[in-house]
Amino acid sequence: MINVVDKEFKTIKNNIKMTSLPQIGEKIYFKDSQIYNVIDVIHYLDTHQTIWLIVQKQSEENLVKATLNVSL
């Protein structure tokens, strides 16, 4: 279970599936056209595993304008 949250632990995305875990300093992008910088990663290991990606919105002046075409 991977949850994406901001610095105040407000949920951005819950229970998402990823094939690889983004590392600190990497960027992630969702369909909401917002780019987020990963600033911390917390792993909770007990009877189940939970991972929180703590992110910060990338500022407008640092955005790269691009179009992503994906076919599945």
Side-chain angles (χ1 to χ4, degrees), residues 4 7 18 21 23 36 42 44 46 48 50 54 56 66:
V4 179
K7 292 187 286 188
M18 295 181 155
L21 186 63
Q23 302 297 310
Y36 297 92
I42 299 175
Y44 173 78
D46 197 9
H48 66 282
T50 302
I54 294 105
Q56 183 174 15

Side-chain angles (χ1 to χ4, degrees), residues 21-67:
L21 186 63
Q23 302 297 310
I24 296 170
E26 291 186 335
K27 298 177 186 330
I28 55 177
Y29 175 84
F30 296 109
K31 288 183 181 180
D32 63 1
S33 299
Q34 180 62 54
I35 296 175
Y36 297 92
N37 296 310
V38 177
I39 59 173
D40 208 351
V41 179
I42 299 175
H43 297 260
Y44 173 78
L45 303 169
D46 197 9
T47 56
H48 66 282
Q49 180 179 1
T50 302
I51 298 171
W52 288 281
L53 294 177
I54 294 105
V55 299
Q56 183 174 15
K57 280 186 180 182
Q58 183 163 324
S59 63
E60 289 292 323
E61 61 268 8
N62 292 330
L63 286 180
V64 173
K65 302 296 181 189
T67 302

Side-chain angles (χ1 to χ4, degrees), residues 11-27:
T11 300
I12 295 170
K13 296 283 183 185
N14 261 341
N15 302 324
I16 59 175
K17 295 180 182 180
M18 295 181 155
T19 56
S20 64
L21 186 63
Q23 302 297 310
I24 296 170
E26 291 186 335
K27 298 177 186 330

